[in-house]
Amino acid sequence: MNLDQNLFDAEILIVDDERPNILLLERLLKASGYSRIRGTDDPRRVRDLLGERDTDIVLLDLRMPYMDGFQIMEAIQSTVEAGDDYLPVLMLTAEHDPRIKLRALELGATDFLLKPFDRAEVASRVRNILQVRLLNKRVRQQNAELESKVRERTRELDETRLEIIRRLGLAAEYRDNETGLHIVRMSLFAQAIALRHGLSPEQAELLMNAAPMHDIGKIGIPDRVLLKKDKLDSDEWHIMRRHTTIGAQMLSGHSSPLLRMAADIALSHHERWDGGGYPQGLSGESISLEARIVAVADVFDALLAERPYKKAWPEHEAIAEIERLAGHQFDPAVVESFLSALPELREIRARYQDS
């Protein structure tokens, strides 16, 4: 922004109940190169006039009928605060009383212009005030541009972080001979159930983004155990169970709400409502709600999926199994939310079918 170039494009508003004063100031300002000048002899119109255009300076008479200059400055101040802006006011007065000047300054007056008007003084004071005004506008514009860039960069970083989390989740699933679409489905299942359970859209979305990491700890399980086709013996089962604590360790130690939730889900998604789960043997509401929701979403999709070691369950049998496990493996309230979310879950399944 070139200040000299933009200075004479400034919007000027003159408020004086005496029309000759308005005409005189308009003539003086136009002689100085200003062209965008409005004037009113009715102070009641000031608020509407300010709303019509982005005004850069108000030349305001102090003594007027209906509303005096003090009342108008109070109205201007409320407009400025609402718009988070700086609107300079040049007071027009014949008063020499310092108490009046002090009150005007306290209400936000920028400077004073004494009557009768001197052409050189009018030009100098208006120019000085407008230079500050335009510098303020430039700073505000630059700040807005910087804030926009920061928001865009933050959005890009958030998207990158989420993509890394999704891909790590996929890596864990592929090691277990799962398909990437299992991660997508169960995460969306968890979001749908969470919404039916009463979580806010923001919390449900956070859960959707944290859920893909629930089995990340399987990266630390040896292939001889993770990929074994036969039934695991007791030692191997003990090793397999460690994927919950490994996952929690991998994801812990960060202040991000997303990673904190992901760490909790990784640790607790194999806990059972009746206390018979692992790794801590938690029960009931001592298990986080997010982990309880993921447990239902994960098992439901696993039951419906065909794998080398099992056939896919029919949907009605999978639903019956989830209901049967309510109060044992699963939180009964979450199961109720699961049942109410079935229309959404069916849409998700149809959209993300394994090829």
Side-chain angles (χ1 to χ4, degrees):
M1 178 188 291
N2 185 308
L3 284 181
D4 290 331
Q5 177 183 343
N6 288 272
L7 193 67
F8 298 113
D9 291 330
E11 285 281 349
I12 300 173
L13 176 61
I14 304 170
V15 185
D16 195 312
D17 65 313
E18 295 185 17
R19 195 69 189 169
N21 286 338
I22 296 175
L23 295 174
L24 174 59
L25 286 169
E26 286 180 345
R27 188 167 62 251
L28 293 175
L29 291 169
K30 286 179 180 178
S32 297
Y34 301 100
S35 59
R36 306 177 72 173
I37 305 167
R38 293 176 297 161
T40 181
D41 56 7
D42 185 351
R44 295 169 295 184
R45 295 190 60 221
V46 170
R47 189 182 289 271
D48 290 337
L49 289 170
L50 290 176
E52 290 174 3
R53 298 185 196 173
D54 183 18
T55 305
D56 294 303
I57 183 172
V58 179
L59 280 63
L60 177 63
D61 188 25
L62 185 58
R63 300 300 182 189
M64 294 180 292
Y66 308 117
M67 295 177 70
D68 62 24
F70 297 126
Q71 292 172 307
I72 291 176
M73 277 193 291
E74 289 175 348
I76 290 174
Q77 190 64 31
S78 65
T79 302
V80 167
E81 289 175 356
D84 188 25
D85 200 358
Y86 160 69
L87 177 57
V89 176
L90 179 58
M91 295 298 300
L92 311 176
T93 181
E95 301 280 354
H96 292 275
D97 188 338
R99 292 172 298 178
I100 292 177
K101 288 187 175 182
L102 178 60
R103 184 182 175 194
L105 289 169
E106 289 174 345
L107 287 172
T110 308
D111 203 350
F112 297 87
L113 189 59
L114 293 176
K115 299 177 181 179
F117 304 126
D118 177 80
R119 174 177 176 176
E121 185 181 9
V122 170
S124 295
R125 291 190 186 278
V126 169
R127 180 182 180 85
N128 291 342
I129 292 172
L130 285 175
Q131 284 179 332
V132 176
R133 162 68 173 173
L134 295 182
L135 282 170
N136 175 267
K137 289 177 74 173
R138 177 156 66 177
V139 169
R140 281 170 51 82
Q141 181 181 354
Q142 290 174 339
N143 287 343
E145 290 172 355
L146 287 173
E147 289 173 3
S148 177
K149 290 179 181 178
V150 169
R151 286 194 297 270
E152 178 62 21
R153 182 59 179 152
T154 301
R155 185 189 62 80
E156 291 174 356
L157 290 172
D158 286 344
E159 288 181 355
T160 300
R161 181 174 61 185
L162 288 174
E163 186 61 24
I164 290 171
I165 286 173
R166 294 187 189 106
R167 289 174 184 266
L168 284 172
L170 288 173
E173 293 299 315
Y174 281 131
R175 284 211 66 220
D176 197 20
N177 286 325
E178 297 279 6
T179 72
L181 289 178
H182 166 67
I183 281 290
V184 174
R185 285 191 302 267
M186 65 81 56
S187 299
L188 293 173
F189 286 175
Q191 181 184 31
I193 296 168
L195 289 171
R196 289 285 188 166
H197 201 73
L199 272 69
S200 70
E202 294 77 17
Q203 281 297 106
E205 183 176 5
L206 190 65
L207 174 57
M208 177 195 70
N209 288 320
M213 302 292 283
H214 70 290
D215 273 341
I216 188 66
K218 288 182 177 179
I219 290 175
I221 302 300
D223 287 351
R224 63 179 176 82
V225 174
L226 186 67
L227 305 180
K228 185 177 179 180
K229 295 181 179 180
D230 299 327
K231 184 177 179 181
L232 300 180
D233 62 31
S234 60
D235 290 339
E236 291 167 337
W237 185 238
H238 177 74
I239 294 171
M240 177 64 83
R241 288 185 172 193
R242 287 173 48 206
H243 82 273
T244 54
T245 54
I246 292 172
Q249 289 167 2
M250 290 174 65
L251 298 169
S252 64
H254 197 281
S255 61
S256 161
L258 174 63
L259 290 178
R260 288 204 306 268
M261 183 184 291
D264 174 75
I265 291 170
L267 180 66
S268 303
H269 69 284
H270 282 295
E271 300 288 0
R272 291 174 55 107
W273 182 256
D274 61 11
Y278 65 90
Q280 296 175 292
L282 301 178
S283 63
E285 294 186 357
S286 61
I287 309 165
S288 71
L289 175 58
E290 293 80 11
R292 284 179 267 150
I293 290 172
V294 168
V296 173
D298 188 32
V299 170
F300 182 59
D301 190 68
L303 291 175
L304 294 172
E306 182 175 351
R307 295 291 178 262
Y309 50 86
K310 78 171 190 71
K311 292 183 177 181
W313 287 37
E315 182 189 84
H316 70 278
E317 292 184 11
I319 294 170
E321 180 69 2
I322 297 292
E323 289 183 285
R324 185 184 70 80
L325 293 172
H328 302 286
Q329 183 171 344
F330 302 130
D331 176 353
V334 171
V335 171
E336 287 299 316
S337 299
F338 157 79
L339 294 173
S340 66
L342 280 172
E344 293 92 336
L345 306 189
R346 291 186 178 109
E347 290 179 5
I348 293 166
R349 284 190 63 210
R351 197 180 318 137
Y352 299 101
Q353 293 182 2
D354 290 323
S355 56

